[in-house]
């Protein structure tokens, strides 16, 4: 199964993708995570992407589509893919069709996380992740069970993203509205879009997505 999680910054794409990985043995393909890893490693892609990401603008289509192709090739042909934060432009949607067709994969669902934009700034500015395993948390909505210790790996170091400040979030939202939301009709025409209320509790959102995957 291959699915896209679509939604603005802070909608819960990464949160839900991590849960599907654990519950269904699927693989999360987050271009944001791949780019952050490239920035950290100081690769040529990372050097190009760093300032663009800090401004909240989109990295070039060619770069992210190449990353997605490489990741798909590195995973088992039978492992399902959850596309998180990709595609984000019409050109990327077109590339994804080609990338999947070349590998004999089919896109089953596009799940749109429907959220209230006013809530997104609070979600994003309160977000932090485990430095060891990448598990995501939130100051208010999802704290570790034992304060200061990761539920998943026991790590005690956490980090915050440099682009998780109010000003950059506004640019990221504007980019989403201008370039990403307009790709939905491509998938609506194919009859594969499902809309989920992303304002519900995290567990309820997961259950709603699981119902769609079973349908
Ligand atoms: P990316 O990393 O993809 O960031 P994004 O799209 O802005 O999305 P986020 O990761 O901020 O949000 P999310 O939906 O994953 O939310 P989360 O689950 O963490 O991209 C970053 C940058 O990289 C881009 O700006 C761009 O520069 C570049 N880039 C990446 N992909 C690209 C591409 N394809 N093309 C070009 N450039 C690209 O949730 C947020 C918080 O809310 C968490 O703390 C969570 O605990 C909490 N939360 C989640 N769900 C709920 C809920 N239901 N109720 C309460 N709290 C919740
Ligand atoms: Mg994310
Ligand atoms: Zn951890």
């Amino acid at each position: 199964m291959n699915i896209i999680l679509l939604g603005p910054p802070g909608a819960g794409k990464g949160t839900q993708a991590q849960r599907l990985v654990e519950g269904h043995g699927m693989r999360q393909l987050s271009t944001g995570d791949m780019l952050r890893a490239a920035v950290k490693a100081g690769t040529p892609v990372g050097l190009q992407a760093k300032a663009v990401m800090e401004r909240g603008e989109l990295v070039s289509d060619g770069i992210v589509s190449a990353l997605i192709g490489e990741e798909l090739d590195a995973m088992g042909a039978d492992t399902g893919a959850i596309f998180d934060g990709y595609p984000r432009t019409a050109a990327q949607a077109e590339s994804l069709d080609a990338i999947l067709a070349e590998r004999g994969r089919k896109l089953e669902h596009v799940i749109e996380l429907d959220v209230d934009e006013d809530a997104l700034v609070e979600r994003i500015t309160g977000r932090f992740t485990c430095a060891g395993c990448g598990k995501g948390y939130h100051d208010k909505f999802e704290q570790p069970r034992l304060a200061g210790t990761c539920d998943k790996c026991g790590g005690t170091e956490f980090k915050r993203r440099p682009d998780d400040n109010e000003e950059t979030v506004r640019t990221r939202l504007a980019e989403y509205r201008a370039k990403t939301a307009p790709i939905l009709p491509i998938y609506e025409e194919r009859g594969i879009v499902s809309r989920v209320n992303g304002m519900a509790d995290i567990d309820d959102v997961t259950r709603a997505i699981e119902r769609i995957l079973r349908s």
Side-chain angles (χ1 to χ4, degrees), residues 130 133 150 153:
C130 171
C133 73
C150 175
C153 76

Side-chain angles (χ1 to χ4, degrees), residues 35 39-40 44-56 59 162:
L35 290 167
V39 169
K40 194 172 170 206
V45 164
L47 294 175
Q48 239 180 296
K50 187 172 187 283
V52 178
M53 292 173 77
E54 280 172 8
R55 287 196 301 271
V59 174

Side-chain angles (χ1 to χ4, degrees), residues 122-124 126-128 136-143:
E122 185 187 18
R123 279 200 191 174
I124 289 179
R127 166 171 57 190
F128 60 99
Y137 294 98
H138 192 278
D139 291 328
K140 192 164 150 192
F141 305 123
E142 197 186 7
Q143 294 166 346

Side-chain angles (χ1 to χ4, degrees), residues 10 13-15 31 36 57 85 88 92 127 137 161 172 200:
K13 304 179 296 289
T15 302
T31 39
R36 280 184 286 280
E57 294 166 7
R88 254 173 152 99
Q92 290 178 28
R127 166 171 57 190
Y137 294 98
R161 277 168 46 177
R172 285 158 58 195

Side-chain angles (χ1 to χ4, degrees), residues 9-22:
K13 304 179 296 289
T15 302
Q16 296 302 328
Q18 285 185 348
R19 287 164 169 238
L20 295 175
V21 166
E22 274 161 30

Side-chain angles (χ1 to χ4, degrees), residues 14 21-22 27 48 57 61 106 121 129 131 143 151 169 174 176 186 198 207 215:
V21 166
E22 274 161 30
R27 178 81 168 266
Q48 239 180 296
E57 294 166 7
D61 293 330
K106 181 170 168 270
V121 173
T129 54
Q143 294 166 346
D151 295 348
V169 171
Y176 179 82
I186 301 174
R207 278 191 282 272
S215 69

Side-chain angles (χ1 to χ4, degrees), residues 156-175:
T156 53
E157 256 186 74
F158 297 88
K159 56 183 185 186
R160 290 180 192 259
R161 277 168 46 177
D163 60 341
D164 279 353
N165 57 76
E166 184 157 354
E167 197 194 333
T168 306
V169 171
R170 301 269 172 221
T171 307
R172 285 158 58 195
L173 272 170
E175 290 279 77

